Amino acid sequence: MTTTKMKPVDAVVVGSGVVGSIMAMELASKGLKVLCLERGRMIDPQHDFVMPYVNDELKYDRHSDIFQNLSRETISFRNNASQTALPMRELGSFKPGEMVGGTGAHWGCNARRFLPHDFEFRSRITERYGSNFFPEGCTSQDWGVTFDDVEPYYDQFEHIYGVGGKAGNLNGEIQPGGNPHEGPRSREYPNPATRRTPQGELFAKAATELGYTPFQGPAAAMTQDYTNLYKLMLGECQRGGFCSSHVCSQGAKANPLTAVLPALYRKENFELRPLCNVIKVNTDSTGKKATGVTYIDARGREVEQPAEIVVLATYCFNNTRLLLLSGIGTPYDPQTGRGVVGRNYSYQTGGRVHVFFDDREFNPFIGGGMVNTSIDDLNGDVIDRSNLGFVGGAYVAVSSFGATPIKNKPVPAGTPRWGAEWKKAVAQYYRRSFAISIHGSCQSYRHNYLDLDPTYKDANGLPLLRMTFDWHENEKKMLAFMYERITEIAKAMKPSKYAAHHIYKKYTIVPYQSTHNMGGAVMGADPATSVVNKYLQSWDVPNLFVVGGSAFPHNAAQGPTETIGMLACWAADGIKENYLQRPGPLV
Ligand SMILES: Cc1cc2nc3c(=O)[nH]c(=O)nc-3n(C[C@H](O)[C@H](O)[C@H](O)COP(=O)(O)OP(=O)(O)OC[C@H]3O[C@@H](n4cnc5c(N)ncnc54)[C@H](O)[C@@H]3O)c2cc1C
Ligand code: SF4
C-alpha cells in the first residue's frame, strides 16, 4: 500500500475523548499547531442528539449505537493463561466509545477524586500493616506522584467539567456536609452539590444511625448554569434520566462535546480529523524519538502524519495496544514478571443490594446526572484492615440513574423470571425499589495483564489486544465485607424486602459491569515497573506521552474519570511548562 505523507504538526493527539480533548486544548492554547486524530465519526450534539430520540434506550444503551464497532476491532479475552482467548463479539462487561468525544461523551458524570491513600498505596499499606499484608502476586504500586502534587490539576479539571459538590476538607479543615475523608482541597467545588432525593434521605438517615457520614457525591451534570474555564456555557441539568450511555440533549452534562471541543473548534491552530484509525507510532532509526503516527483514513488509505510530539489518548486498551504494535517499551512477561507494557491491568469491583418497599413510592423518572448520596467510611486509610485480611475499599451510594425501563426492572429474590408473576412484581416494584451500590477498588496482579493475541486480528490484519483477567480472593473478601455493611444499612431502612446481588466467582465478560479498565501503560518512579514517568512521558521515547486510565498502577474505588481528566491537565502542564523549554526526558 502506498503511504500518503501529510504536512508536519507540532503535536498529534490520538483520540478525542476526555483526555484527548483536554490535551489538545491545553497544547493549542500554548500556540502549538495541534492535530487530533479520532477513529470514530464526527458528532454535532445539537443535531445528532435531539429530543425525543436522544432518550432511545434500545438504540443507545441496549444496541450500543455510539460504542466501539467490534466488527472492525475488538479484544480477545481469557481468565488465565491456560485458556485460549476468544474475541469479544458483543459489548458486554465494558463499552468503550467510538466517536468524536469518545466514551467520555456518554459517561454517567460521577466525578470523584481519588484519596491521598490511593496514590501512595503500597507505601501506606506497608507502613501500617507491613509488606506481607499484600495478597500474593499483587503488583499494585505507588504512582510516583502524591495527592498534594496533583491537587491543583483536580481543581482545574473540576472547573472545566463544572463538578457540583460540597467540600469535606478545605485546606485541612473538615467541613460539615462534605466527604470528611477526601484529601485536602484548595477551594470549594465550582458548583453546589445536587439536591437529595427521597431515596437519598432514607439512605442518609440509616447510614447516620449506623455511625457513617453521608454526603452528596460530586457530579459533573450542572447543578446550575455554569460557564467553565474554557468560557463555554453549560445549562442546568433537568434530571430527566437517560444519562449514562446517552448523550445529553440539554448540554448539561460535562463531556468533551460540551466542555472542551467547541472552544477548540474556534482555534485556527487546531484541526480535528475524524474517521482516522491510528495503527502505529512511528520512531526514527534510534527508536528513541517519535516521528509521528500512521493511520488508516476513511477511504482505507494509509497516511503518515509527522509530528514533534505524540500524545496517545485512546483509552486503556488502545494506549497499550499501540505501544505493543509500535514496539515501544518492553512487553510484559507474566512468567518472569519482567517487562512493562501490558502490566498491571486492573478493573473495578462492584455490587448492590436492592431494597423493595410496599408502602413507599419513588419516582425513577426523576434522576440521572449522577444524583447520589454516598458514604466513604469504608475506604482508604479510614478502615482498620488488621483483622479483615484484604487491601482496598469501596464507597457506597444510593444513586438515581433515571428510569431506563428496558434495563432496570429489579424484582425481589424468588420472583419467577418470566410470566404473570414476574409482570406483577415488575409493576409493583418498578417505582418502589432502588439499589444501594458498592463501588470498589481492584488491585493489580502478576497474572492479570494485556498482550497481543497470537491468533486473532482486526480488520487491518493487526493482532487484537488480548486480556487475561480474573477476580482474586482479596477482591472477593473485600466485597463480602462490603455486602455485610450495606445489608446492615439496607435493614435499617426497614424495607419490605431486600435482595443482595451475588459476588462473581470468576470474572465474566458478558454482563455490563463498568467501563473502568485500567493499566497496561502505568506511571511510576521506576522504569523497571512503569511505562511512563510521573509526567505520563514514555521512559523510552521522550516525545511520546501516553495518557489515561492506562497509567493507573491499580484502580481505586471512586470511579476513574475525574482522575483521568486530572492526569490530562497534569501531563499537559508538564509539556507546556517543562518539556517545551527542555525537550527530552523530564525525569
Ligand atoms: C456508560 C458509561 C458510563 C460511565 N460513567 C462513568 C462515571 O459516571 N464516572 C466515571 O468516573 N467514569 C465513567 N465512565 C468511564 C469514562 O467514560 C472513561 O473513564 C473516560 O471516557 C476515559 O477517557 P479517555 O479519554 O481515556 O477515553 P475515551 O473517552 O474513550 O476516548 C478515547 C478516544 O480514542 C479513540 N480511539 C481509540 N483508538 C483509536 C485509534 N487507534 N485511533 C484513533 N482514535 C482512537 C476512541 O474512538 C475514543 O474516541 C463511563 C463509561 C461508560 C461507557
Ligand atoms: S439527566 Fe441531566 S445531564 Fe443527564 S442527560 Fe438529562 S439533562 Fe443531561
Side-chain angles (χ1 to χ4, degrees):
M1 192 188 284
T2 49
T3 305
T4 311
K5 194 163 177 177
M6 305 301 274
K7 283 192 186 143
V9 292
D10 296 326
V12 64
V13 175
V14 188
S16 66
V18 175
V19 172
S21 55
I22 291 178
M23 292 293 297
M25 179 67 189
E26 291 295 318
L27 299 185
S29 299
K30 189 75 180 170
L32 267 59
K33 192 170 166 38
V34 178
L35 167 69
C36 181
L37 295 172
E38 164 58 55
R39 73 178 180 187
R41 66 183 192 258
M42 186 61 193
I43 292 292
D44 175 358
Q46 284 174 356
H47 292 97
D48 293 332
F49 300 105
V50 289
M51 288 292 273
Y53 312 105
V54 70
N55 288 351
D56 186 339
E57 189 189 351
L58 189 64
K59 177 176 176 182
Y60 292 114
D61 189 274
R62 300 288 84 190
H63 293 168
S64 305
D65 185 70
I66 45 184
F67 296 95
Q68 187 173 329
N69 178 356
L70 300 189
S71 70
R72 300 207 51 86
E73 183 200 311
T74 181
I75 60 153
S76 65
F77 164 73
R78 58 186 180 173
N79 280 120
N80 58 61
S82 71
Q83 299 172 341
T84 303
L86 292 173
M88 180 170 86
R89 301 209 185 263
E90 249 180 68
L91 285 164
S93 171
F94 43 83
K95 296 173 153 197
E98 190 173 295
M99 62 175 198
V100 169
T103 321
H106 43 76
W107 75 311
C109 305
N110 176 29
R112 291 163 202 257
R113 297 177 174 198
F114 282 8
L115 303 177
H117 170 91
D118 299 319
F119 294 98
E120 300 168 88
F121 186 73
R122 186 155 283 267
S123 309
R124 290 206 184 191
I125 294 284
T126 304
E127 197 180 308
R128 188 161 169 187
Y129 306 103
S131 57
N132 291 337
F133 198 74
F134 285 94
E136 201 189 331
C138 176
T139 51
S140 300
Q141 63 196 37
D142 294 356
W143 294 47
V145 289
T146 64
F147 177 85
D148 289 343
D149 292 332
V150 295
E151 196 283 333
Y153 302 90
Y154 269 132
D155 182 75
Q156 184 182 347
F157 178 74
E158 284 168 356
H159 284 76
I160 299 170
Y161 269 47
V163 180
K166 171 79 194 78
N169 181 336
L170 261 184
N171 296 309
E173 298 272 329
I174 301 302
Q175 308 291 314
N179 175 8
H181 308 300
E182 70 172 353
R185 54 173 59 243
S186 46
R187 56 176 166 161
E188 256 297 354
Y189 285 94
N191 280 317
T194 56
R195 275 190 291 159
R196 200 164 271 178
T197 58
Q199 303 91 299
E201 286 295 353
L202 263 181
F203 172 76
K205 183 169 172 297
T208 308
E209 281 165 14
L210 290 164
Y212 300 115
T213 310
F215 60 95
Q216 285 307 95
M222 299 309 104
T223 47
Q224 60 185 5
D225 292 350
Y226 177 67
T227 303
N228 80 355
L229 210 57
Y230 297 148
K231 308 261 178 293
L232 295 171
M233 168 86 180
L234 291 97
E236 185 177 345
C237 167
Q238 304 303 310
R239 309 289 168 209
F242 303 103
C243 198
S244 186
S245 284
H246 296 255
V247 175
C248 176
S249 64
Q250 311 289 321
K253 184 200 290 202
N255 65 39
L257 298 172
T258 54
V260 188
L261 289 168
L264 253 173
Y265 296 152
R266 290 183 205 140
K267 292 192 179 292
E268 287 188 358
N269 54 336
F270 173 74
E271 186 192 344
L272 170 69
R273 247 177 250 162
L275 299 173
C276 295
N277 184 23
V278 173
I279 55 169
K280 194 175 177 217
V281 178
N282 303 318
T283 49
D284 68 5
S285 56
T286 66
K288 303 249 173 261
K289 183 169 190 290
T291 53
V293 297
T294 297
Y295 65 89
I296 309 286
D297 75 4
R299 290 159 68 185
R301 293 173 305 192
E302 194 170 286
V303 180
E304 190 189 329
Q305 177 60 59
E308 287 298 317
I309 296 173
V310 176
V311 177
L312 293 185
T314 57
Y315 195 74
C316 153
F317 295 134
N318 264 312
N319 279 358
T320 306
R321 181 168 180 253
L322 284 170
L323 290 173
L324 291 168
L325 290 176
S326 311
I328 296 174
T330 314
Y332 174 62
D333 178 353
Q335 297 311 317
T336 60
R338 290 202 205 96
V340 282
V341 185
R343 181 175 176 273
N344 280 31
Y345 172 73
S346 69
Y347 193 39
Q348 189 95 66
T349 53
R352 57 195 176 274
V353 170
H354 273 105
V355 282
F356 301 90
F357 294 82
D358 286 306
D359 56 348
R360 305 184 72 121
E361 282 197 10
F362 312 95
N363 186 348
F365 290 98
I366 297 176
M370 199 36 83
V371 180
N372 72 92
T373 308
S374 304
I375 58 166
D376 212 9
D377 305 271
L378 301 168
N379 198 7
D381 281 329
V382 190
I383 45 174
D384 180 0
R385 301 181 180 78
S386 313
N387 298 315
L388 298 177
F390 64 80
V391 296
Y395 79 83
V396 171
V398 161
S399 309
S400 73
F401 297 107
T404 54
I406 303 175
K407 181 167 66 176
N408 193 23
K409 296 182 287 297
V411 287
T415 306
R417 297 187 67 182
W418 67 86
E421 285 305 306
W422 175 77
K423 285 183 191 165
K424 207 169 128 195
V426 169
Q428 171 67 7
Y429 291 113
Y430 182 64
R431 286 180 299 160
R432 296 186 181 88
S433 65
F434 59 87
I436 312 172
S437 59
I438 301 166
H439 210 272
S441 59
C442 178
Q443 303 313 314
S444 301
Y445 295 92
R446 181 167 172 168
H447 294 287
N448 285 345
Y449 63 99
L450 304 171
D451 66 356
L452 291 179
D453 193 288
T455 310
Y456 293 99
K457 298 195 167 35
D458 70 5
N460 296 313
L462 297 168
L464 297 185
L465 190 72
R466 177 171 66 176
M467 175 196 291
T468 305
F469 180 79
D470 209 349
W471 299 121
H472 280 238
E473 284 312 308
N474 178 76
E475 278 57 48
K476 292 179 200 167
K477 267 192 208 167
M478 188 268 285
L479 280 178
F481 171 80
M482 297 299 162
Y483 266 114
E484 280 176 25
R485 301 288 79 78
I486 66 167
T487 303
E488 288 165 359
I489 301 175
K491 284 184 187 163
M493 290 186 198
K494 303 194 175 35
S496 320
K497 302 177 184 78
Y498 64 88
H501 199 262
H502 60 277
I503 299 174
Y504 291 113
K505 290 198 174 68
K506 293 200 84 53
Y507 172 68
T508 155
I509 208 153
V510 180
Y512 186 75
Q513 287 151 71
S514 74
T515 310
H516 298 176
N517 311 86
M518 303 298 137
V522 310
M523 60 193 288
D526 181 357
T529 54
S530 55
V531 172
V532 290
N533 64 25
K534 68 175 181 173
Y535 294 105
L536 290 295
Q537 178 188 41
S538 160
W539 288 110
D540 302 276
V541 178
N543 64 335
L544 170 65
F545 293 79
V546 188
V547 189
S550 53
F552 289 20
H554 54 95
N555 200 8
Q558 270 83 356
T561 305
E562 167 120 349
T563 298
I564 288 173
M566 172 279 285
L567 287 180
C569 297
W570 161 258
D573 206 51
I575 297 175
K576 288 189 305 182
E577 301 307 321
N578 300 322
Y579 182 84
L580 292 179
Q581 275 73 42
R582 285 173 283 104
L586 295 175
V587 173

